[in-house]
Amino acid sequence: MAIVVKSSEEIDKIRKSSRIVAEVLEAMKQYVKPGVSTGKLDAVAEEIIRSHGATPSFKNYHGYPASICASVDDCVIHGIPSEKQILKEGQIISIDVGACLDGFHGDAARTYAVGEISDLARKMIEAAEASFWAGMEYAKEGNHLHEISGAIEKKAKSYGCSVIRDFVGHGVGALLHEDPAIPNYKPVGRGPKLTAGMTLAIEPMLAAGDWAVDVLEDGWTTVSRDGSLTSHYENSILITPTGYEILTML
Ligand code: MF3
Ligand code: CO
């Protein structure tokens, strides 16, 4: 599938769904604390999404059973929320949210601290966010996609983190996952040229140890093979003639 360049009407729709995602991520700040279940976080997120007349993009996506991914500590992505999973002081949790309104998706993730956390955990959160912003320095019409990838990798490594290689960012729009695939490491070649109107979900996924991951028996939960701490930070963005617009921030 070719990369879809969006019309201004389509971009407006992605802006609206992305704003709902941003609102959910903002609300999660107050809910993430010791003692809360990830199932409760999922219920709150779904409620906010539906209150806007939108639908949770992830629910039933290839059979995924929830509205958010709730990925704790060594779980890097696709953790399935549960009433039985209770957050504990010192953990870190990535919450990934997608919303679909009027046929267009927005997709973003943040990693949150549960109460007081270790310096290493703090560093992991900061590294994922800083890697995203390092990539943004190259997000501009006329640049090439892999410049973003390379900048993310360089920043992640400057924190001593490794970059997950088995999962990537992606185009976002009428589909949750569109072309192009957006690795968080520099692949061979420059990749496609960036054009104004491309909408991309850029999502560094990092590990404190090695980058190898395992997918558990549920077919979703993805953990670092060495059990090391992981972090994730994602925004849906629009490429513009002069740079970019972040769609999933309030
Ligand atoms: N942000 C993740 C991604 O873009 C969320 C997908 S979870 C799924 O890959 F359940 F929808 F697959
Ligand atoms: Co995504």
Side-chain angles (χ1 to χ4, degrees):
M1 191 185 83
I3 302 174
V4 185
V5 174
K6 276 76 177 180
S7 68
S8 57
E9 290 76 22
E10 292 170 327
I11 290 165
D12 255 336
K13 291 179 181 180
I14 299 169
R15 261 197 204 97
K16 289 195 180 104
S17 57
S18 293
R19 234 192 126 68
I20 298 167
V21 168
E23 196 184 306
V24 172
L25 292 174
E26 188 61 33
M28 288 296 122
K29 286 183 187 166
Q30 294 124 57
Y31 285 92
V32 171
K33 53 181 176 223
V36 76
S37 74
T38 54
K40 168 73 178 175
L41 301 177
D42 184 62
V44 170
E46 179 164 1
E47 171 80 35
I48 296 171
I49 292 167
R50 294 200 190 277
S51 75
H52 290 282
T55 52
S57 304
F58 302 170
K59 204 159 204 176
N60 302 319
Y61 181 86
H62 294 281
Y64 187 75
S67 297
I68 64 169
C69 300
S71 306
V72 176
D73 287 347
D74 61 318
C75 178
V76 51
I77 50 166
H78 300 169
I80 300 172
S82 159
E83 302 292 337
K84 289 184 207 135
Q85 184 183 35
I86 310 294
L87 295 182
K88 293 198 279 276
E89 179 101 18
Q91 290 179 321
I92 57 176
I93 175 173
S94 147
I95 297 180
D96 194 341
V97 186
C100 185
L101 186 67
D102 216 355
F104 286 83
H105 298 270
D107 179 13
R110 303 281 181 269
T111 300
Y112 302 83
V114 183
E116 289 295 315
I117 60 172
S118 68
D119 289 347
L120 174 64
R122 177 70 53 201
K123 184 189 84 167
M124 292 308 297
I125 292 175
E126 196 184 309
E129 184 170 349
S131 300
F132 170 85
W133 290 110
M136 285 307 95
E137 289 181 30
Y138 295 88
K140 183 182 174 180
E141 177 161 63
N143 284 353
H144 288 83
L145 184 69
H146 294 170
E147 294 180 82
I148 296 178
S149 300
I152 291 171
E153 179 178 32
K154 191 166 167 217
K155 181 62 85 176
K157 287 186 169 165
S158 80
Y159 277 87
C161 297
S162 63
V163 167
I164 305 303
R165 299 178 80 88
D166 297 350
F167 294 88
V168 295
H170 50 94
V172 61
L175 302 176
L176 176 62
H177 293 140
E178 299 184 351
D179 276 346
I182 309 175
N184 296 302
Y185 57 88
K186 173 72 179 71
V188 176
R190 297 187 297 176
K193 196 180 221 181
L194 300 174
T195 304
M198 287 180 177
T199 45
L200 307 173
I202 312 270
E203 48 180 322
M205 292 161 256
L206 308 184
D210 190 73
W211 56 261
V213 294
D214 288 311
V215 177
L216 302 188
E217 250 128 66
D218 58 25
W220 289 103
T221 311
T222 301
V223 299
S224 60
R225 187 167 296 166
D226 63 9
S228 67
L229 269 185
T230 62
S231 60
H232 181 202
Y233 183 90
E234 173 180 29
N235 282 304
S236 296
I237 71 157
L238 168 69
I239 299 295
T240 70
T242 53
Y244 59 86
E245 182 183 323
I246 304 282
L247 303 172
T248 43
M249 288 178 89
L250 293 175

